[in-house]
mmCIF file of all heavy atoms in Angstrom:
data_model
loop_
_atom_site.group_PDB
_atom_site.id
_atom_site.type_symbol
_atom_site.label_atom_id
_atom_site.label_comp_id
_atom_site.label_asym_id
_atom_site.label_seq_id
_atom_site.Cartn_x
_atom_site.Cartn_y
_atom_site.Cartn_z
ATOM 1 N N ALA A 1 139.980 135.673 94.436
ATOM 2 C CA ALA A 1 139.748 136.738 93.480
ATOM 3 C C ALA A 1 141.032 137.507 93.160
ATOM 4 O O ALA A 1 141.160 138.034 92.070
ATOM 5 C CB ALA A 1 138.698 137.695 94.015
ATOM 6 N N PHE A 2 141.972 137.563 94.091
ATOM 7 C CA PHE A 2 143.188 138.342 93.880
ATOM 8 C C PHE A 2 144.409 137.465 93.633
ATOM 9 O O PHE A 2 145.523 137.952 93.656
ATOM 10 C CB PHE A 2 143.427 139.267 95.075
ATOM 11 C CG PHE A 2 142.308 140.239 95.275
ATOM 12 C CD1 PHE A 2 141.438 140.101 96.346
ATOM 13 C CD2 PHE A 2 142.103 141.281 94.388
ATOM 14 C CE1 PHE A 2 140.397 140.987 96.526
ATOM 15 C CE2 PHE A 2 141.063 142.163 94.558
ATOM 16 C CZ PHE A 2 140.196 142.027 95.625
ATOM 17 N N LYS A 3 144.187 136.196 93.371
ATOM 18 C CA LYS A 3 145.293 135.280 93.099
ATOM 19 C C LYS A 3 146.040 135.748 91.853
ATOM 20 O O LYS A 3 145.435 136.101 90.850
ATOM 21 C CB LYS A 3 144.765 133.866 92.903
ATOM 22 C CG LYS A 3 145.844 132.826 92.784
ATOM 23 C CD LYS A 3 145.233 131.448 92.675
ATOM 24 C CE LYS A 3 146.333 130.414 92.576
ATOM 25 N NZ LYS A 3 145.794 129.064 92.471
ATOM 26 N N GLY A 4 147.360 135.781 91.939
ATOM 27 C CA GLY A 4 148.183 136.225 90.823
ATOM 28 C C GLY A 4 148.404 137.722 90.766
ATOM 29 O O GLY A 4 149.023 138.225 89.842
ATOM 30 N N LEU A 5 147.901 138.453 91.741
ATOM 31 C CA LEU A 5 148.047 139.910 91.765
ATOM 32 C C LEU A 5 149.005 140.351 92.866
ATOM 33 O O LEU A 5 148.766 141.344 93.551
ATOM 34 C CB LEU A 5 146.679 140.576 91.941
ATOM 35 C CG LEU A 5 145.668 140.313 90.825
ATOM 36 C CD1 LEU A 5 144.328 140.937 91.160
ATOM 37 C CD2 LEU A 5 146.183 140.855 89.505
ATOM 38 N N GLU A 6 150.107 139.646 93.015
ATOM 39 C CA GLU A 6 151.062 139.933 94.081
ATOM 40 C C GLU A 6 151.656 141.332 93.982
ATOM 41 O O GLU A 6 152.104 141.894 94.974
ATOM 42 C CB GLU A 6 152.209 138.910 94.082
ATOM 43 C CG GLU A 6 151.783 137.492 94.350
ATOM 44 C CD GLU A 6 151.297 136.772 93.089
ATOM 45 O OE1 GLU A 6 151.570 137.254 91.974
ATOM 46 O OE2 GLU A 6 150.618 135.743 93.244
ATOM 47 N N ASN A 7 151.670 141.928 92.795
ATOM 48 C CA ASN A 7 152.256 143.253 92.602
ATOM 49 C C ASN A 7 151.233 144.388 92.652
ATOM 50 O O ASN A 7 151.594 145.546 92.421
ATOM 51 C CB ASN A 7 153.023 143.303 91.275
ATOM 52 C CG ASN A 7 154.199 142.359 91.278
ATOM 53 O OD1 ASN A 7 154.893 142.229 92.283
ATOM 54 N ND2 ASN A 7 154.409 141.669 90.183
ATOM 55 N N LEU A 8 149.979 144.071 92.927
ATOM 56 C CA LEU A 8 148.935 145.091 93.014
ATOM 57 C C LEU A 8 149.282 146.093 94.115
ATOM 58 O O LEU A 8 149.570 145.714 95.241
ATOM 59 C CB LEU A 8 147.590 144.437 93.310
ATOM 60 C CG LEU A 8 146.379 145.366 93.299
ATOM 61 C CD1 LEU A 8 146.103 145.827 91.868
ATOM 62 C CD2 LEU A 8 145.170 144.647 93.859
ATOM 63 N N GLN A 9 149.252 147.385 93.799
ATOM 64 C CA GLN A 9 149.621 148.411 94.766
ATOM 65 C C GLN A 9 148.428 149.214 95.259
ATOM 66 O O GLN A 9 148.459 149.744 96.365
ATOM 67 C CB GLN A 9 150.670 149.340 94.173
ATOM 68 C CG GLN A 9 151.979 148.641 93.921
ATOM 69 C CD GLN A 9 153.038 149.590 93.412
ATOM 70 O OE1 GLN A 9 152.799 150.756 93.163
ATOM 71 N NE2 GLN A 9 154.241 149.076 93.264
ATOM 72 N N THR A 10 147.384 149.345 94.462
ATOM 73 C CA THR A 10 146.206 150.114 94.840
ATOM 74 C C THR A 10 144.966 149.260 94.660
ATOM 75 O O THR A 10 144.757 148.684 93.591
ATOM 76 C CB THR A 10 146.082 151.387 93.975
ATOM 77 O OG1 THR A 10 147.251 152.189 94.169
ATOM 78 C CG2 THR A 10 144.863 152.193 94.358
ATOM 79 N N LEU A 11 144.144 149.189 95.705
ATOM 80 C CA LEU A 11 142.900 148.430 95.650
ATOM 81 C C LEU A 11 141.768 149.335 96.126
ATOM 82 O O LEU A 11 141.754 149.771 97.276
ATOM 83 C CB LEU A 11 142.992 147.170 96.515
ATOM 84 C CG LEU A 11 141.782 146.243 96.506
ATOM 85 C CD1 LEU A 11 141.436 145.791 95.084
ATOM 86 C CD2 LEU A 11 142.020 145.057 97.407
ATOM 87 N N LEU A 12 140.845 149.631 95.222
ATOM 88 C CA LEU A 12 139.725 150.519 95.511
ATOM 89 C C LEU A 12 138.458 149.687 95.664
ATOM 90 O O LEU A 12 137.922 149.180 94.677
ATOM 91 C CB LEU A 12 139.556 151.546 94.383
ATOM 92 C CG LEU A 12 140.805 152.344 94.023
ATOM 93 C CD1 LEU A 12 140.557 153.217 92.808
ATOM 94 C CD2 LEU A 12 141.278 153.161 95.203
ATOM 95 N N LEU A 13 138.004 149.538 96.899
ATOM 96 C CA LEU A 13 136.795 148.774 97.188
ATOM 97 C C LEU A 13 135.734 149.666 97.829
ATOM 98 O O LEU A 13 134.879 149.194 98.573
ATOM 99 C CB LEU A 13 137.130 147.589 98.100
ATOM 100 C CG LEU A 13 138.014 146.527 97.469
ATOM 101 C CD1 LEU A 13 138.431 145.489 98.498
ATOM 102 C CD2 LEU A 13 137.299 145.860 96.296
ATOM 103 N N ARG A 14 135.780 150.929 97.534
ATOM 104 C CA ARG A 14 134.847 151.907 98.081
ATOM 105 C C ARG A 14 133.426 151.612 97.592
ATOM 106 O O ARG A 14 133.209 151.251 96.435
ATOM 107 C CB ARG A 14 135.278 153.295 97.621
ATOM 108 C CG ARG A 14 134.395 154.381 98.096
ATOM 109 C CD ARG A 14 134.848 155.711 97.551
ATOM 110 N NE ARG A 14 133.971 156.729 98.102
ATOM 111 C CZ ARG A 14 134.364 157.890 98.536
ATOM 112 N NH1 ARG A 14 135.628 158.223 98.440
ATOM 113 N NH2 ARG A 14 133.514 158.734 99.044
ATOM 114 N N SER A 15 132.471 151.754 98.504
ATOM 115 C CA SER A 15 131.038 151.653 98.183
ATOM 116 C C SER A 15 130.666 150.329 97.531
ATOM 117 O O SER A 15 129.972 150.294 96.515
ATOM 118 C CB SER A 15 130.626 152.832 97.280
ATOM 119 O OG SER A 15 130.905 154.062 97.909
ATOM 120 N N ASN A 16 131.101 149.235 98.124
ATOM 121 C CA ASN A 16 130.782 147.907 97.606
ATOM 122 C C ASN A 16 129.925 147.078 98.557
ATOM 123 O O ASN A 16 129.787 145.876 98.365
ATOM 124 C CB ASN A 16 132.075 147.138 97.293
ATOM 125 C CG ASN A 16 132.630 147.502 95.952
ATOM 126 O OD1 ASN A 16 132.074 147.139 94.924
ATOM 127 N ND2 ASN A 16 133.725 148.237 95.935
ATOM 128 N N SER A 17 129.406 147.676 99.592
ATOM 129 C CA SER A 17 128.550 146.990 100.569
ATOM 130 C C SER A 17 129.248 145.818 101.250
ATOM 131 O O SER A 17 128.604 144.852 101.659
ATOM 132 C CB SER A 17 127.243 146.511 99.914
ATOM 133 O OG SER A 17 126.540 147.597 99.372
ATOM 134 N N LEU A 18 130.594 145.882 101.373
ATOM 135 C CA LEU A 18 131.332 144.818 102.065
ATOM 136 C C LEU A 18 130.946 144.802 103.536
ATOM 137 O O LEU A 18 130.951 145.834 104.201
ATOM 138 C CB LEU A 18 132.835 145.043 101.936
ATOM 139 C CG LEU A 18 133.417 144.983 100.535
ATOM 140 C CD1 LEU A 18 134.896 145.342 100.561
ATOM 141 C CD2 LEU A 18 133.200 143.616 99.923
ATOM 142 N N GLN A 19 130.608 143.630 104.055
ATOM 143 C CA GLN A 19 130.209 143.488 105.449
ATOM 144 C C GLN A 19 131.322 142.942 106.317
ATOM 145 O O GLN A 19 131.293 143.120 107.534
ATOM 146 C CB GLN A 19 128.981 142.596 105.547
ATOM 147 C CG GLN A 19 127.772 143.191 104.876
ATOM 148 C CD GLN A 19 126.558 142.286 104.965
ATOM 149 O OE1 GLN A 19 126.599 141.212 105.551
ATOM 150 N NE2 GLN A 19 125.478 142.723 104.372
ATOM 151 N N GLU A 20 132.280 142.248 105.716
ATOM 152 C CA GLU A 20 133.397 141.703 106.479
ATOM 153 C C GLU A 20 134.601 141.497 105.577
ATOM 154 O O GLU A 20 134.476 141.428 104.358
ATOM 155 C CB GLU A 20 133.013 140.401 107.171
ATOM 156 C CG GLU A 20 132.681 139.273 106.223
ATOM 157 C CD GLU A 20 132.277 138.001 106.946
ATOM 158 O OE1 GLU A 20 132.931 137.648 107.946
ATOM 159 O OE2 GLU A 20 131.314 137.368 106.507
ATOM 160 N N LEU A 21 135.755 141.418 106.212
ATOM 161 C CA LEU A 21 136.998 141.140 105.510
ATOM 162 C C LEU A 21 137.541 139.833 106.039
ATOM 163 O O LEU A 21 137.511 139.590 107.240
ATOM 164 C CB LEU A 21 138.017 142.259 105.763
ATOM 165 C CG LEU A 21 137.587 143.656 105.355
ATOM 166 C CD1 LEU A 21 138.620 144.661 105.814
ATOM 167 C CD2 LEU A 21 137.389 143.737 103.850
ATOM 168 N N GLU A 22 138.033 138.990 105.154
ATOM 169 C CA GLU A 22 138.558 137.702 105.563
ATOM 170 C C GLU A 22 140.050 137.637 105.296
ATOM 171 O O GLU A 22 140.550 138.230 104.344
ATOM 172 C CB GLU A 22 137.819 136.579 104.843
ATOM 173 C CG GLU A 22 136.338 136.535 105.209
ATOM 174 C CD GLU A 22 135.610 135.382 104.548
ATOM 175 O OE1 GLU A 22 136.271 134.483 104.010
ATOM 176 O OE2 GLU A 22 134.372 135.390 104.588
ATOM 177 N N VAL A 23 140.767 136.896 106.126
ATOM 178 C CA VAL A 23 142.222 136.786 106.034
ATOM 179 C C VAL A 23 142.689 136.368 104.644
ATOM 180 O O VAL A 23 143.606 136.978 104.094
ATOM 181 C CB VAL A 23 142.768 135.844 107.128
ATOM 182 C CG1 VAL A 23 144.240 135.577 106.926
ATOM 183 C CG2 VAL A 23 142.502 136.440 108.502
ATOM 184 N N PRO A 24 142.100 135.356 104.000
ATOM 185 C CA PRO A 24 142.591 134.957 102.674
ATOM 186 C C PRO A 24 142.563 136.090 101.649
ATOM 187 O O PRO A 24 143.334 136.104 100.711
ATOM 188 C CB PRO A 24 141.645 133.828 102.261
ATOM 189 C CG PRO A 24 141.145 133.271 103.545
ATOM 190 C CD PRO A 24 141.047 134.462 104.477
ATOM 191 N N PHE A 25 141.690 137.053 101.858
ATOM 192 C CA PHE A 25 141.600 138.223 100.989
ATOM 193 C C PHE A 25 142.940 138.959 100.920
ATOM 194 O O PHE A 25 143.379 139.391 99.861
ATOM 195 C CB PHE A 25 140.495 139.138 101.542
ATOM 196 C CG PHE A 25 140.486 140.535 101.003
ATOM 197 C CD1 PHE A 25 139.884 140.801 99.790
ATOM 198 C CD2 PHE A 25 141.065 141.569 101.711
ATOM 199 C CE1 PHE A 25 139.862 142.094 99.297
ATOM 200 C CE2 PHE A 25 141.049 142.856 101.224
ATOM 201 C CZ PHE A 25 140.437 143.123 100.007
ATOM 202 N N PHE A 26 143.618 139.098 102.058
ATOM 203 C CA PHE A 26 144.837 139.883 102.135
ATOM 204 C C PHE A 26 146.115 139.119 101.802
ATOM 205 O O PHE A 26 147.113 139.726 101.444
ATOM 206 C CB PHE A 26 144.999 140.469 103.544
ATOM 207 C CG PHE A 26 144.095 141.620 103.800
ATOM 208 C CD1 PHE A 26 142.898 141.435 104.458
ATOM 209 C CD2 PHE A 26 144.427 142.894 103.382
ATOM 210 C CE1 PHE A 26 142.044 142.494 104.693
ATOM 211 C CE2 PHE A 26 143.588 143.960 103.608
ATOM 212 C CZ PHE A 26 142.386 143.759 104.265
ATOM 213 N N LEU A 27 146.094 137.833 101.920
ATOM 214 C CA LEU A 27 147.333 137.063 101.796
ATOM 215 C C LEU A 27 148.083 137.253 100.478
ATOM 216 O O LEU A 27 149.300 137.420 100.496
ATOM 217 C CB LEU A 27 147.069 135.592 102.081
ATOM 218 C CG LEU A 27 146.645 135.303 103.524
ATOM 219 C CD1 LEU A 27 146.378 133.816 103.707
ATOM 220 C CD2 LEU A 27 147.664 135.797 104.526
ATOM 221 N N PRO A 28 147.420 137.269 99.317
ATOM 222 C CA PRO A 28 148.195 137.453 98.082
ATOM 223 C C PRO A 28 148.596 138.902 97.807
ATOM 224 O O PRO A 28 149.385 139.169 96.906
ATOM 225 C CB PRO A 28 147.248 136.944 96.986
ATOM 226 C CG PRO A 28 145.898 137.025 97.549
ATOM 227 C CD PRO A 28 146.041 136.919 99.040
ATOM 228 N N LEU A 29 148.101 139.847 98.583
ATOM 229 C CA LEU A 29 148.308 141.276 98.309
ATOM 230 C C LEU A 29 149.504 141.825 99.081
ATOM 231 O O LEU A 29 149.389 142.765 99.864
ATOM 232 C CB LEU A 29 147.034 142.059 98.646
ATOM 233 C CG LEU A 29 145.780 141.597 97.909
ATOM 234 C CD1 LEU A 29 144.558 142.343 98.407
ATOM 235 C CD2 LEU A 29 145.932 141.761 96.412
ATOM 236 N N ARG A 30 150.669 141.307 98.820
ATOM 237 C CA ARG A 30 151.880 141.667 99.565
ATOM 238 C C ARG A 30 152.455 143.022 99.188
ATOM 239 O O ARG A 30 153.221 143.596 99.943
ATOM 240 C CB ARG A 30 152.937 140.593 99.364
ATOM 241 C CG ARG A 30 152.454 139.210 99.745
ATOM 242 C CD ARG A 30 153.287 138.652 100.854
ATOM 243 N NE ARG A 30 152.851 137.310 101.189
ATOM 244 C CZ ARG A 30 152.319 137.024 102.355
ATOM 245 N NH1 ARG A 30 152.160 137.943 103.256
ATOM 246 N NH2 ARG A 30 151.957 135.787 102.627
ATOM 247 N N SER A 31 152.120 143.573 98.028
ATOM 248 C CA SER A 31 152.682 144.850 97.572
ATOM 249 C C SER A 31 151.715 146.012 97.736
ATOM 250 O O SER A 31 151.985 147.116 97.269
ATOM 251 C CB SER A 31 153.083 144.741 96.091
ATOM 252 O OG SER A 31 154.051 143.747 95.912
ATOM 253 N N LEU A 32 150.595 145.774 98.390
ATOM 254 C CA LEU A 32 149.545 146.785 98.494
ATOM 255 C C LEU A 32 150.028 148.020 99.254
ATOM 256 O O LEU A 32 150.579 147.922 100.351
ATOM 257 C CB LEU A 32 148.329 146.177 99.191
ATOM 258 C CG LEU A 32 146.972 146.807 98.905
ATOM 259 C CD1 LEU A 32 146.672 146.817 97.426
ATOM 260 C CD2 LEU A 32 145.892 146.043 99.636
ATOM 261 N N LEU A 33 149.835 149.191 98.653
ATOM 262 C CA LEU A 33 150.210 150.468 99.271
ATOM 263 C C LEU A 33 148.991 151.312 99.622
ATOM 264 O O LEU A 33 149.037 152.114 100.542
ATOM 265 C CB LEU A 33 151.109 151.278 98.325
ATOM 266 C CG LEU A 33 152.430 150.631 97.940
ATOM 267 C CD1 LEU A 33 153.139 151.471 96.886
ATOM 268 C CD2 LEU A 33 153.297 150.433 99.166
ATOM 269 N N HIS A 34 147.905 151.150 98.878
ATOM 270 C CA HIS A 34 146.679 151.924 99.078
ATOM 271 C C HIS A 34 145.484 150.979 99.113
ATOM 272 O O HIS A 34 145.287 150.209 98.166
ATOM 273 C CB HIS A 34 146.472 152.926 97.942
ATOM 274 C CG HIS A 34 147.592 153.889 97.784
ATOM 275 N ND1 HIS A 34 148.647 153.649 96.946
ATOM 276 C CD2 HIS A 34 147.821 155.080 98.368
ATOM 277 C CE1 HIS A 34 149.490 154.658 97.012
ATOM 278 N NE2 HIS A 34 149.013 155.548 97.877
ATOM 279 N N LEU A 35 144.692 151.068 100.175
ATOM 280 C CA LEU A 35 143.480 150.264 100.305
ATOM 281 C C LEU A 35 142.333 151.185 100.691
ATOM 282 O O LEU A 35 142.362 151.824 101.737
ATOM 283 C CB LEU A 35 143.661 149.171 101.366
ATOM 284 C CG LEU A 35 142.440 148.306 101.663
ATOM 285 C CD1 LEU A 35 141.978 147.549 100.418
ATOM 286 C CD2 LEU A 35 142.737 147.348 102.809
ATOM 287 N N ASN A 36 141.342 151.277 99.822
ATOM 288 C CA ASN A 36 140.183 152.124 100.083
ATOM 289 C C ASN A 36 138.978 151.242 100.372
ATOM 290 O O ASN A 36 138.473 150.552 99.493
ATOM 291 C CB ASN A 36 139.916 153.031 98.885
ATOM 292 C CG ASN A 36 138.825 154.043 99.160
ATOM 293 O OD1 ASN A 36 137.940 153.814 99.964
ATOM 294 N ND2 ASN A 36 138.882 155.165 98.471
#
């Protein structure tokens, strides 16, 4: 879902009923500064 978003700095995932986080989710997000 985040492929090609290497420069993304803010990711807002508040109130999305996420039950788990998986490693591939984070791999393309190398510039992330804010994660909600």
Side-chain angles (χ1 to χ4, degrees):
F2 299 108
K3 187 177 181 180
L5 298 176
E6 297 84 16
N7 296 320
L8 186 69
Q9 294 183 356
T10 300
L11 183 57
L12 307 174
L13 294 173
R14 179 183 182 139
S15 302
N16 277 289
S17 301
L18 296 175
Q19 296 179 1
E20 64 181 317
L21 302 173
E22 297 183 13
V23 172
F25 165 82
F26 285 97
L27 295 179
L29 303 175
R30 304 241 182 245
S31 299
L32 205 56
L33 299 174
H34 302 92
L35 177 61
N36 187 332

